[in-house]
Amino acid sequence: MGNVILIGFMGSGKTTVGLRLSYRLRRAVIDTDKEIEKEEKRTISEIFAADGEGYFRDRETACLRKLLESTGNQIISVGGGLPMREENRKLLHELGQVFYLQASAETIYERVKHDTTRPLLQGDDPQTKIRMLLTERDSFYREAADVVINVDGKDFEHVLSEIEEQVD
Ligand code: S3P
């Protein structure tokens, strides 16, 4: 469907890269977390607290299915846990070209350490949680991706250029 899809761990830069890429490529941008919050009229934290992670994961799959019915040619950034479901990885593949913004646990921690909006990182030891989740998830991200872009130590301009060079 000609979409450019950005996947990766929380804090890897998907939302910001998505917005900037949207200006550069003159394509609309969609973020699955924002779509879900709009439809549910509540924040991700509220959804997790009231209905649990399983409910949120089902909303993510529903959101991908809905995107398959839209026009295509968009930039789509997705929540960090979305590619963990096999069904979602298939749907991502159908939607377009998938870029994995790959970041180290250190880069991620530096970017999210003051964040209060991500329920999975609100425990006492976010650094250990990041390392654990990243180890669990990296192979799924790679499986879902057509292109892997390492973002460690790179500014957004650098990351954008690397993506632009590889967009089909
Ligand atoms: C999550 C990532 C978040 C959001 C939710 C769960 C995850 O999105 O979907 O808090 O499981 O990694 P971002 O990756 O945009 O922070």
Side-chain angles (χ1 to χ4, degrees), residues 8-12 14-15 31-33 44 48 53 56-57 60 78-82 117-120 133 137 141:
F9 203 81
M10 295 171 265
S12 58
K14 296 166 299 209
T15 306
D31 182 272
T32 57
D33 285 342
I44 306 279
F48 267 68
E53 184 174 347
F56 175 71
R57 299 300 172 199
E60 289 188 312
V78 309
L82 181 146
T117 66
R118 292 173 170 108
L120 295 178
L133 278 178
R137 290 178 171 188
Y141 291 136

Side-chain angles (χ1 to χ4, degrees), residues 3-153:
N3 294 296
V4 171
I5 300 146
L6 303 171
I7 66 169
F9 203 81
M10 295 171 265
S12 58
K14 296 166 299 209
T15 306
T16 308
V17 168
L19 281 170
R20 298 201 185 187
L21 204 57
S22 137
Y23 289 122
R24 295 259 282 249
L25 301 178
R26 295 174 192 280
R27 299 201 204 177
V29 64
I30 283 185
D31 182 272
T32 57
D33 285 342
K34 296 211 178 85
E35 287 301 299
I36 293 169
E37 288 185 330
K38 238 194 286 169
E39 282 168 11
E40 292 272 330
K41 298 189 179 63
R42 49 190 179 149
T43 65
I44 306 279
S45 301
E46 286 165 346
I47 298 171
F48 267 68
D51 294 310
E53 184 174 347
Y55 175 84
F56 175 71
R57 299 300 172 199
D58 290 341
R59 300 294 297 116
E60 289 188 312
T61 302
C63 183
L64 289 183
R65 293 202 166 284
K66 204 165 149 196
L67 286 173
L68 271 175
E69 260 126 60
S70 68
T71 49
N73 257 322
Q74 294 174 321
I75 312 293
I76 303 173
S77 56
V78 309
L82 181 146
M84 298 308 107
R85 270 197 189 177
E86 189 184 357
E87 180 183 5
N88 292 353
R89 292 195 293 279
K90 283 200 192 116
L91 292 168
L92 289 173
H93 193 65
E94 285 176 47
L95 277 165
Q97 191 183 14
V98 182
F99 289 80
Y100 168 26
L101 303 189
Q102 193 239 332
S104 68
E106 292 68 33
T107 299
I108 289 162
Y109 179 66
E110 279 312 307
R111 293 191 187 171
V112 303
K113 62 184 177 190
H114 301 303
D115 180 88
T116 56
T117 66
R118 292 173 170 108
L120 295 178
L121 302 180
Q122 299 313 306
D124 317 325
D125 187 359
Q127 261 174 306
T128 304
K129 186 76 187 277
I130 290 168
R131 255 184 258 120
M132 233 179 62
L133 278 178
L134 194 57
T135 308
E136 247 171 63
R137 290 178 171 188
D138 184 67
S139 59
F140 292 107
Y141 291 136
R142 287 176 191 280
E143 196 182 315
D146 296 303
V147 181
V148 180
I149 306 271
N150 179 268
V151 302
D152 293 324

